[in-house]
Amino acid sequence: MSLTYTAGSLVAARGREWVVLPESAPDMLVLRPLGGSEDDIAAVFPSFEEVRPAEFAAPSPADLGDQRAAGLLRTALRIGFRSGAGPFRSLASIAVEPRAYQLVPLLMALRQRTVRLLISDDVGIGKTVEAGLIAKELLAQGEATRLAVLCSPALAEQWQGELREKFGIDAELVLASTVTRLERGLELGQSLFDKHPCTIISTDFIKSTRHREDFIRHCPDLVIVDEAHTCVAADDTTQGGTSSAANQLRYELLRRVSAKADRHLLLLTATPHSGKESAFRNLLGLVRPELATLDLESPAGRAKLAEHFVARKRADVRDYLTKEDGLADDSLAERTAFPSDRWTKDEPYKLTPAYRALLDDAIAYARDRVTAAGEQGKREARIAWWSVIALLRSMVSSPAAAAQTLKTRSESATARTAQEADALGAPVAADSAENDRLEGMDVAPGAAESEEAGARLLELSQWAAQLVGPSEDAKLKALTRHLKDLIADGYHPIVFCRYIPTAEYLATQLEGKLGKKTKIAAVTGTLSPQQRLERIEQLAAESAEEAGDPAVRRVLIATDCLSEGVNLQHYFDAVVHYDLAWNPTRHDQREGRVDRYGQKRDQVRVITMYGEDNGIDGKVLDVLFKKHRQIKKDLGISVSVPDETASGVTDAVVEWLLLHGRQGSQESLFDLDGHQESLDRIEREWNSAAEREKTSRSKYAQRAIHPEEVAREVAAVRAALGGADEVRDFALEALRDLDALVRDPRDGTGDFTAQLGGAPAGLRDALAATLGGRLIEEDREIPFRTTPAIARGEAALVRTDPAIGAIASYVLDSALDANTPGPRPARRCGVVTTDAVTIRTTLLLVRYRFHLTLPSRTGERQLVAEDARLLAYEGMPSRARWLDDDAATALLAARATANTHEQLARNQITRALDGLQDLSAHLTEYGTHLAAELDTSHRRVRKANEEIVRGLKVVPQEPADVLGVYVYLPQPASTVSGAEA
């Protein structure tokens, strides 16, 4: 007859000890190895394999460690926890250490029965991590069982990697390119959204009628929507055409997803408002219908919104949990290393005489075409207008783009009406801040409208093709100079272009011109999203192979297919705008790829190139960009330029250019008759949008969660799992003890490096799996960094980093197994003679396990939580005088001030071990106290969720495990006096 084991109990099987998990049944035990991770979980059938109760063996008095043994073992144990005893069920099992401010959306979510949040933190603050934290917690609690992420197809692989690597969530990609393969594996009548519990779905793919209906019928109970602003449109939109139609399809999809009142929904966007009140209201209506009509001028209305809306700029979270946030002191203060203000510079260039002649000829042709088309009708006029803009934009981009455009048919030439011509021409020729369809937007547009125009354009195309290279292309020559300067200063720049031919042209022309140690790659829309990421990784890997050479640099040439969503801060730290966008918001998006959390440079450099004599760039820069920068300087925030404003300015620039040619390029656009009134109107609209944005930032500031509440939970998490300083000290000491070659520069950063050639083979193998085999095999220096944002081949000094986990696992396993060959940094026993105590004091390292009954919408969830605590007492076990927690922890810092005789040490530790039975009542009482604290913390973070709070139950598992026993002996008086003499 087989025994029945409760969750949390210890069993012995397969030659090792395991913890029984709640998913177990009488005939099948689900087990996690003692000190192991979720990856090591196994199922054991007692009918076929021997399973017996396991008592955690007491430490051996023959296996004594030194004065650091207790601290190393404690930290190794805490790092290994995958179900910590804090108020959150998931933080111990994820591979990222969230910043304190990133816990705010999580706390907001846990106070809602059905989670509905609009997360609108600034670019680079970490909205993906915030959403991942909420998703992982809801799945861990059983509040959600399935997950769908709706995002742009270009970002799908990045989302998949983030969820898998940081949160342990394996999600299937549902894209136009994968759906056929996925559907082949379905059973008759089965939906792929039922088969795959976690999916990442292309919003544009799923919005079509055929796929939308299947998704709505089988939609998961938790949905995350990335770039949610692209899924709504203003009620008074004037854009029309395909962009608005696409927005309406997405809006209809999300409206139906959000209609199910008990579905969790997270909407992510850095630009929720964009100056359009109706679009913002529509977005709020997706969160909760009543929010769309809320009186946001009233305090009650804003308080209601604050329960569901969080929007913070970098300045709000750069320094967090400080006295300025209302806390008593700075003990929990956290500084997030965002780059400081960007270093920006506008760099002009002048056309060569040959290129000037080509541009003048092209302007003359454009003037003739617009004039002739205007006499033929409105349709012809709009077709000509968009063709002319395409011609002029490609002409100032590069000779390669010009040559391609001049021999390609115009996008709008097939239009049957003027409205259709605008719908076809605007997305290709303009740089809309709200145009999410960046795929295909980097193709060189066409300028040819008819057979009659073909001959002249072909002549111009051939002329442009002859001007390639630095001798006739002054813009290319200037870029080469700027890149050499950046490279000499140690930067790794990205060069952003508007068109594919320009990017490919630059990559070819720059090869070999920037030094032999500079690696160059181009990423454009000709590559799939996955291929783009692979190209970037390949460039990073090539330069990493020569990382020991300080001259090695990376240069990436990219189109705007990389300007949104893709994280590039680990590899690049400067941006060059080779082609001036016609909307400053696009430049913000480009710069946001590198200027974000995780950027190692304190200052990101930005160079904006413009042609001072081409008749276009100078005026766009003067009117649009300088105004954009002034607003940012005045308000301290970046305000998106309304598309109508940007297009109004650029239309005026082109009209002016056709009327006056390049010769009038020194005149101010505002001084020209006919444009002043429209430019004044544009100025007023933009100022109005900026004022609305400023008001909304103040009005809708996140006040639902006070910093004191965050501080309380941060303290609880750190008490259960350890803090950053503890992890750094542990890694440094453990690696030294394990015979690694450690170099600590003590430069104030906290960073250090280690070579593992002399470390035990078991540790090297474990680290090879996380850092890469080549690094370990070649015994390279591995950087250990205090920032959680790291590059390939580096380790972060946080408990959730896989490399730190591997070190902790080795330290813990070797401490538990006295037969482990080689160095063993931690031991389960120790005796220290020290002046830190005046009476014999014993420190215990005790592991507690708790059974949590956590009710959820899907039924009761049985969980096991773990905690490691230090308990200390003075005197003999039978008459123990217990110290408080702070005094017990302080013993870890005690250092030996005299030698301890070996036999004395054995006698003392044996006496302490023999007295453990006398301590059992206090250990049980302490466990009951911890269970009550855990119960309180769970109720506190879920205080608004009465149903969950009502059914919560926490019960300690008995007996607790005594992992370590350490005796501290007072220094004899004779030793002290001898030392003083």
Side-chain angles (χ1 to χ4, degrees), residues 116 251 255 258-261 265 281-294 308:
R116 293 293 179 101
Y251 181 61
R255 191 187 61 77
S258 64
K260 194 170 187 294
L265 182 64
R281 290 283 184 169
N282 287 340
L283 199 58
L284 293 181
L286 292 174
V287 180
R288 291 259 183 228
E290 63 269 21
L291 297 182
T293 56
L294 208 59
H308 303 277

Side-chain angles (χ1 to χ4, degrees), residues 627 631 635 682-692:
K627 174 67 175 177
I631 289 176
L635 299 185
I682 288 168
E683 175 94 354
R684 288 194 300 272
E685 289 174 354
W686 200 350
N687 285 335
S688 177
E691 193 56 41
R692 284 197 301 273

